[in-house]
Amino acid sequence: MAGTKNHDYHILPPDIAPLATTIGALTFTSGLVLFMHDMAGGKFVPWLGLAILLASMFMWFSKIIKEAHAGDHTPVVQLHQRYGMILFIASEVMFFVGWFWAFFDFSLFPSTLAEVVGGQWPPKAIEAVMDPFDLPLLNTLILLCSGTTVTWAHHSLIHGDRDGLKKGLWATILLGVLFSCIQAYEYVHAPFPFGQNTYGSAFYMATGFHGFHVIVGTIMLIVCLKRAYNGDFTPRQHFGFEAAAWYWHFVDVVWLFLFVAIYVWGGWGYPTH
């Protein structure tokens, strides 16, 4: 890139960004607990934490981009970045395993959880579930298409086709926004509320956190699109885009499991809405 290093490693100078990000994350999650329990501070603490978190992440990521332009991301550093991204995605996988575990525990052993689910699954309070072959199927096709468009953008970048890179990113971002809008519409018209029973809680927590990941992935791709217009990426050095593409494919795969396990299998033989 713009500069070169005479060694393989990049020694980071002292920086407040990691500490600020940690404080923001702690404030945000603690605020959500206050909000869910309707406690004092629940209406403004989450927003304060989110503001700190976003500001610190913007500062941190901006510095990483500057390091790339300065030539600090040597092949060894890029390899370690890939290891870090792989471990991050692995931690996200385990995060979703927790929600799948809860859903399967409720659904496969309702008799042993009679006090929680009423001895049947879905619980008696659920009169109808989502029709998996309506909006959920449409959203599945949208995410699958977005996986192909982000791959198109990646291959275009590798082969030096910057126009294809931009078009692929635009298509992926629009599909991601469309997915989020359809899921929001689905939530508004859902036949069961959040929090009144275990089915609603398991459903909304699993699909809601996935929707949050789609929004995060969309933001990452928007940043990549902006950087593409700035001419940042090259066929030989584009880990920022590559990491975003990995994350987006992870979001796609998780949704396939959610669709099959929660929408199709979870509501099998039950009246649909």
Side-chain angles (χ1 to χ4, degrees), residues 31 34-35 38-47:
L34 296 176
F35 173 77
D38 198 22
M39 299 173 66
K43 292 185 178 180
F44 70 88
V45 174
W47 294 107

Side-chain angles (χ1 to χ4, degrees), residues 17-195:
L19 177 61
T21 303
T22 303
I23 294 173
L26 178 61
T27 305
F28 177 60
T29 52
S30 300
L32 288 179
V33 173
L34 296 176
F35 173 77
M36 292 178 183
H37 289 274
D38 198 22
M39 299 173 66
K43 292 185 178 180
F44 70 88
V45 174
W47 294 107
L48 174 63
L50 182 61
I52 297 173
L53 184 61
L54 293 177
S56 59
M57 291 177 67
F58 177 82
M59 177 175 60
W60 198 350
F61 295 159
S62 298
K63 291 181 179 180
I64 293 175
I65 293 174
K66 291 178 181 178
E67 291 171 2
H69 284 291
D72 295 326
H73 293 174
T74 64
V76 171
V77 173
Q78 291 184 52
L79 178 63
H80 294 170
Q81 289 175 332
R82 284 175 169 79
Y83 288 157
M85 191 64 191
I86 290 172
L87 291 174
F88 170 70
I89 291 177
S91 70
E92 292 277 34
V93 169
M94 299 310 298
F95 175 83
F96 279 99
V97 165
W99 301 120
F100 281 108
W101 190 297
F103 188 86
F104 284 124
D105 190 34
F106 290 145
S107 59
L108 293 175
F109 306 103
S111 60
T112 61
L113 299 168
E115 296 183 359
V116 179
V117 300
Q120 72 177 47
W121 188 262
K124 295 179 181 179
I126 300 294
E127 297 180 356
V129 297
M130 297 284 192
D131 184 357
F133 301 108
D134 189 16
L135 292 180
L137 179 60
L138 175 61
N139 259 351
T140 301
L141 297 176
I142 289 172
L143 270 191
L144 289 176
C145 288
S146 72
T148 62
T149 54
V150 77
T151 302
W152 167 34
H154 192 192
H155 280 273
S156 297
L157 174 58
I158 292 174
H159 293 90
D161 180 9
R162 302 197 66 84
D163 184 61
L165 166 65
K166 296 172 185 176
K167 290 180 179 177
L169 281 172
W170 269 114
T172 308
I173 291 168
L174 292 176
L175 289 170
V177 171
L178 179 60
F179 175 94
S180 298
C181 292
I182 292 176
Q183 190 167 31
Y185 177 86
E186 179 186 77
Y187 280 4
V188 171
H189 296 84
F192 49 85
F194 169 76

